[in-house]
Amino acid sequence: MSLPFLQKSHAYAARLLHKAGLTVTQIPQAIEVARTTVETWLSRELEKGNVQQAMQVLKGQLQEKGAQVLFDQLKELLLVKLIIHLGIRNALAGSIAGLVLPFVLKRVLELTRQNPALQNWWQEQGWQRHVPTQESIKEKIKTVSQRLSPNRTSEEQPLFI
């Protein structure tokens, strides 16, 4: 997929959107609708706990099935909102969504990386879930060692002597 928004200027992007069929007044509206849609989608996915997949969608890493499904849902949501807010047809809305979405995803990712509160939250979420505490490690070692060593009493005699 060609990403002209990531490689060219905003003027080129506006020309592409105008060529696709949007009027000059609809171009900023389409970008605003896409931005608000991505932001609400992102907050909803974070609340659901799909942090990894949502961040993969923002980064454009759609190799995994979960991230691809989320991206398709986001694209369909944007398609519906463009049809409703701008009053354009389905085919035009689909091409506009395909043009605008990579640009908006990149911009939202940049903004989230610059937000210090989100950075702190992300750092807390990333390592605390996956790294066990010292107490839990000790407890696991203790239970495993108990399972491995036989529980013999002094009265028991070994079977073979």
Side-chain angles (χ1 to χ4, degrees):
M1 175 167 96
S2 175
L3 302 175
F5 289 108
L6 303 179
Q7 302 165 357
K8 304 293 179 180
S9 68
H10 291 280
Y12 179 72
R15 279 193 304 251
L16 274 178
L17 290 172
H18 186 66
K19 190 183 271 189
L22 289 181
T23 64
V24 176
T25 58
Q26 286 177 326
I27 292 172
Q29 290 174 343
I31 293 172
E32 182 64 24
V33 166
R35 183 188 62 80
T36 58
T37 302
V38 169
E39 287 174 353
T40 57
W41 170 85
L42 180 62
S43 64
R44 192 173 357 148
E45 291 303 320
L46 291 178
E47 288 173 4
K48 288 181 182 177
N50 296 332
V51 177
Q52 290 287 36
Q53 291 87 2
M55 291 306 288
Q56 286 176 346
V57 170
L58 283 180
K59 292 176 183 177
Q61 300 170 347
L62 303 175
Q63 291 82 14
E64 292 184 15
K65 185 71 172 171
Q68 183 65 43
V69 169
L70 287 180
F71 179 74
D72 292 341
Q73 289 175 351
L74 174 62
K75 193 170 182 180
E76 289 175 13
L77 181 64
L78 179 59
L79 180 75
V80 170
K81 287 196 175 192
L82 285 173
I83 291 170
I84 291 171
H85 289 284
L86 299 179
I88 55 180
R89 293 193 173 145
N90 191 8
L92 178 59
S95 62
I96 299 303
L99 288 171
V100 171
L101 196 55
F103 169 70
V104 172
L105 287 173
K106 182 179 186 294
R107 184 69 182 141
V108 169
L109 178 64
E110 290 171 357
L111 291 175
T112 55
R113 285 184 175 166
Q114 294 171 358
N115 186 348
L118 188 65
Q119 287 176 352
N120 291 337
W121 177 82
W122 180 254
Q123 289 173 352
E124 289 175 5
Q125 296 300 315
W127 67 271
Q128 284 184 350
R129 287 186 186 169
H130 302 293
V131 177
T133 63
Q134 188 176 11
E135 292 80 24
S136 66
I137 292 173
K138 287 180 182 178
E139 186 64 33
K140 286 183 183 181
I141 291 173
K142 185 178 175 182
T143 57
V144 168
S145 65
Q146 287 176 353
R147 287 183 197 160
L148 292 177
S149 64
N151 293 335
R152 286 192 207 164
T153 62
S154 60
E155 299 171 357
E156 278 186 31
Q157 295 295 326
L159 294 176
F160 301 103
I161 293 187

